[in-house]
Amino acid sequence: MTTPIGVHHLAVSTKDMKGQVEFFTQVMGAPLVALFDMHGVEGAWHGFVRLSDHCLLSFVQVPGVEDVESTVGVTHSGTGAGISAPGTMQHLAFEVGSMDELLGMRDRLRSNGVVTFGPIDHGMCHSIYFAGPEGLTLEAAFSEVPVDHRAWVDPAVCEAIGMTPDDVRRYVDPAPYARPTEPVAQAAIDPAMPQMGYPPEELAFMVTLTDDEVTAAASTPDPPVRLADAP
């Protein structure tokens, strides 16, 4: 069955790559694993810190980002209860492995001068809350057991947002998908469907390319430093 199995990386826009790397490596203890010129984007940098072997946090610094204003209530929520524009990241929660590790993270943050609240028992998880550079609203959380939808999907909230009982059944048990024996053709541009933010004429051209053409044009598999030359 084809389905997401986790988050490979979450990319955060920054105008201070070094400052973000400093915070997440030194304050939170996530080691730097990659930092290079962003593939296909002139003048941009892409950095990654490791959360686990299969989960990274990424930072992207693109020329011109320093001219974009950050505004609480628009681009940033400011707190876990604040608002930001639809489609933006309201807050980011990191997983830790135990309650003891959650308390250890709280103490690590406070030892580095970061105001940290919690732990707070939400039932489905225990959480601490703090801020990161450039207005990031952050959380660390631990769940003792997997979240059970039978206890945590509230019928009253479902009704309030227009979700029917049939919807709920579909959402908690999505239909399986079996990959066809032949690749599926590129989708046509449909204004009713989500679209990436390329200029319309550029997107119209891109969807005419074959998968092989996209792979050949955009792939950059070689690392910036050969392992044989690495210190």
Side-chain angles (χ1 to χ4, degrees):
M1 185 171 76
T2 301
T3 180
I5 59 172
V7 174
H8 182 278
H9 68 273
L10 174 71
V12 175
S13 183
T14 182
K15 66 178 180 181
D16 183 8
M17 179 70 75
K18 184 179 178 182
Q20 290 287 3
V21 171
E22 174 77 20
F23 181 86
F24 281 94
T25 62
Q26 303 307 297
V27 177
M28 297 198 67
L32 178 69
V33 294
L35 179 60
F36 50 83
D37 292 325
M38 190 174 187
H39 300 152
V41 185
E42 185 176 353
W45 298 320
H46 208 174
F48 294 81
V49 297
R50 176 188 177 276
L51 304 180
S52 74
D53 287 345
H54 305 287
C55 183
L56 308 172
L57 179 62
S58 167
F59 303 98
V60 176
Q61 186 166 347
V62 178
V65 66
E66 64 277 2
D67 299 324
V68 179
E69 184 177 0
S70 296
T71 305
V72 173
V74 180
T75 62
H76 293 64
S77 66
T79 73
I83 64 170
S84 61
T88 61
M89 184 180 71
Q90 200 267 356
H91 72 278
L92 171 62
F94 300 98
E95 181 182 9
V96 296
S98 67
M99 273 299 298
D100 189 59
E101 290 183 25
L102 185 65
L103 296 175
M105 180 59 70
R106 178 198 63 187
D107 293 342
R108 177 173 189 147
L109 289 161
R110 288 177 175 174
S111 295
N112 281 275
V114 178
V115 172
T116 309
F117 296 104
I120 296 171
D121 184 355
H122 294 299
M124 59 177 285
C125 67
H126 298 264
S127 300
I128 60 173
Y129 295 91
F130 53 102
E134 299 179 297
L136 289 175
T137 301
L138 303 175
E139 174 185 354
F142 168 67
S143 294
E144 296 177 359
V145 296
V147 180
D148 189 334
H149 72 271
R150 295 172 298 178
W152 289 100
V153 176
D154 187 341
V157 174
C158 293
E159 182 178 1
I161 66 173
M163 189 183 294
T164 69
D166 283 341
D167 289 332
V168 174
R169 283 189 285 270
R170 291 189 300 114
Y171 297 156
V172 302
D173 187 20
Y177 177 82
R179 182 183 175 188
T181 55
E182 295 294 328
V184 177
Q186 176 64 275
I189 297 175
D190 180 352
M193 298 299 293
Q195 302 294 340
M196 290 182 280
Y198 294 105
E201 64 280 3
E202 187 173 337
L203 182 62
F205 167 73
M206 291 169 64
V207 299
T208 68
L209 302 175
T210 67
D211 293 335
D212 288 343
E213 288 171 330
V214 172
T215 298
S219 294
T220 52
D222 296 329
V225 181
R226 295 193 315 157
L227 286 179
D229 300 329

